[in-house]
Amino acid sequence: MSLLLNVDSLRKVYGQTKNEQTAVLEDVSFSLQRGEIVGLIGASGAGKSTVGRILASLEQQNAGTIWFDGSNLTGLTGKKRRVFAKDIQMIFQDPYDSLSSRMRISDLVEEPLLIQKSEKDLAKRRARVVEALELVSLDPKKYAMRYPHELSGGERQRIGVARALVCRPKLIVCDEPTSMLDASLRLELIQLLKKLNRKFGIAYLFITHDIALTKGFCSRLLVLYEGRIVDQGETDMVIEQPEHPFTIRMIKALKSLEHKKGELL
Ligand SMILES: Nc1ncnc2c1ncn2[C@@H]1O[C@H](COP(=O)(O)OP(=O)(O)OP(=O)(O)O)[C@@H](O)[C@H]1O
Ligand SMILES: [Mg+2]
């Protein structure tokens, strides 16, 4: 195993004036190996999506360093940052909200390549779009000219995955991508992510509230609480023998919730 990502002392403050300012992330540190699948869990509002958005270059941290693939991303802007931005993609919770309704599927999947300016040749871009659609098991002939509203929820989420894949990333931040899908589609998406992980060695930072789903999928879990990673370790260890009082409370609450839903952990 070799190191892909190292996040050190990440800090993020929201708010305009000094009085309004709150630090969502105080001091977040963790690392990810190449091809590793790591879960990020924590209460709602803990800052999980904020961590993801910073990694995917959608926001900037106030302090802290990010090393990725041997390079320090901290403070990089413009073209230099774009070189790495294509390597860290993100897929979102709501497959409808994250896709522009007026764009055809082929344009939606091509868009990240245009934004990243990573493939200038039109024919090659088209070929990449076809390849990405095929990888998520959507027949390009059937789907390329459709609009998002002409797709099912599961298919829309696959478009989200195709948009990430088309950039050939080394890491995908998955921000609760399964929470709006029903149980069978959830499983299908996990299987697809597993397949892509095996085929291309893509690493995932998998943000979720569903700890049952992390078993057998994530090799490690990180627990975010009050702006810090308070617990981390192998998935089964964190679930069965949590150490931090917050993790103990959270796992207990999630287990009883899942029990009520009829899904035994
Ligand atoms: N652009 C913003 N401006 C101000 N505050 C923000 C902004 N984005 C997020 N926040 C605040 O930062 C905190 C963390 O938000 P974040 O979306 O990262 O949480 P989360 O852990 O992903 O929560 P959830 O599980 O509900 O998705 C929240 O209190 C949120 O209100
Ligand atoms: Mg979130």
Side-chain angles (χ1 to χ4, degrees):
M1 283 229 260
S2 74
L3 190 68
L4 177 67
L5 171 77
N6 184 56
V7 172
D8 189 27
S9 309
L10 208 62
R11 182 175 166 82
K12 177 70 188 176
V13 178
Y14 286 121
Q16 306 288 330
T17 64
K18 252 208 160 124
N19 284 343
E20 287 171 5
Q21 282 186 346
T22 41
V24 174
L25 307 178
E26 288 275 3
D27 184 0
V28 170
S29 304
F30 64 90
S31 36
L32 239 96
Q33 306 294 321
R34 274 174 213 285
E36 200 184 12
I37 304 178
V38 175
L40 176 61
I41 58 175
S44 181
K48 304 179 297 296
S49 297
T50 304
V51 171
R53 287 195 301 266
I54 292 171
L55 291 175
S57 306
L58 301 173
E59 273 183 46
Q60 272 219 309
Q61 72 268 36
N62 295 88
T65 52
I66 301 171
W67 278 84
F68 180 78
D69 207 14
S71 297
N72 190 351
L73 303 196
T74 321
L76 290 187
T77 52
K79 201 173 172 184
K80 280 188 183 152
R81 179 76 194 214
R82 269 208 309 274
V83 171
F84 294 98
K86 74 170 176 39
D87 288 338
I88 309 179
Q89 292 294 310
M90 191 158 176
I91 54 178
F92 300 91
Q93 177 173 22
D94 185 341
Y96 203 72
D97 215 34
S98 58
L99 300 176
S100 166
S101 58
R102 279 166 300 180
M103 287 170 75
R104 292 185 191 275
I105 299 309
S106 57
D107 295 330
L108 280 165
V109 179
E110 187 186 355
E111 188 182 42
L113 291 177
L114 295 170
I115 294 171
Q116 311 289 348
K117 299 185 180 150
S118 57
E119 182 55 81
K120 293 201 174 74
D121 186 284
L122 176 69
K124 282 188 186 155
R125 268 205 314 275
R126 296 261 159 88
R128 294 266 292 263
V129 170
V130 167
E131 180 193 62
L133 286 172
E134 281 170 348
L135 282 170
V136 300
S137 305
L138 293 175
D139 180 358
K141 286 194 205 82
K142 203 169 148 199
Y143 288 91
M145 297 315 278
R146 290 199 197 173
Y147 290 96
H149 73 269
E150 296 169 323
L151 265 58
S152 72
E155 287 168 345
R156 278 198 292 267
Q157 194 52 290
R158 281 168 186 263
I159 298 300
V161 179
R163 272 164 64 88
L165 278 180
V166 79
C167 298
R168 298 180 178 156
K170 293 177 179 144
L171 169 65
I172 301 180
V173 177
C174 310
D175 193 356
E176 303 197 50
T178 56
S179 58
M180 297 194 48
L181 303 176
D182 68 32
S184 72
L185 286 176
R186 209 176 299 160
L187 218 62
E188 250 181 44
L189 186 70
I190 293 296
Q191 273 158 2
L192 171 65
L193 293 175
K194 273 187 181 170
K195 181 185 91 177
L196 298 169
N197 166 264
R198 277 196 299 266
K199 195 164 176 158
F200 301 110
I202 306 172
Y204 302 122
L205 182 66
F206 191 78
I207 299 171
T208 187
H209 282 109
D210 190 344
I211 50 167
L213 207 63
T214 64
K215 284 188 162 193
F217 181 55
C218 301
S219 60
R220 279 191 304 130
L221 287 185
L222 308 168
V223 182
L224 184 60
Y225 177 66
E226 293 193 338
R228 289 178 168 80
I229 302 295
V230 293
D231 238 342
Q232 61 175 305
E234 284 177 20
T235 303
D236 290 348
M237 286 293 283
V238 173
I239 293 174
E240 301 309 330
Q241 295 168 33
E243 283 184 8
H244 191 278
F246 168 74
T247 322
I248 297 171
R249 278 204 309 276
M250 184 182 63
I251 300 282
K252 221 171 161 180
L254 288 172
K255 276 186 177 175
S256 88
L257 193 74
E258 279 171 6
H259 202 75
K260 277 184 203 143
K261 278 191 343 203
E263 293 174 21
L264 285 173
L265 197 70

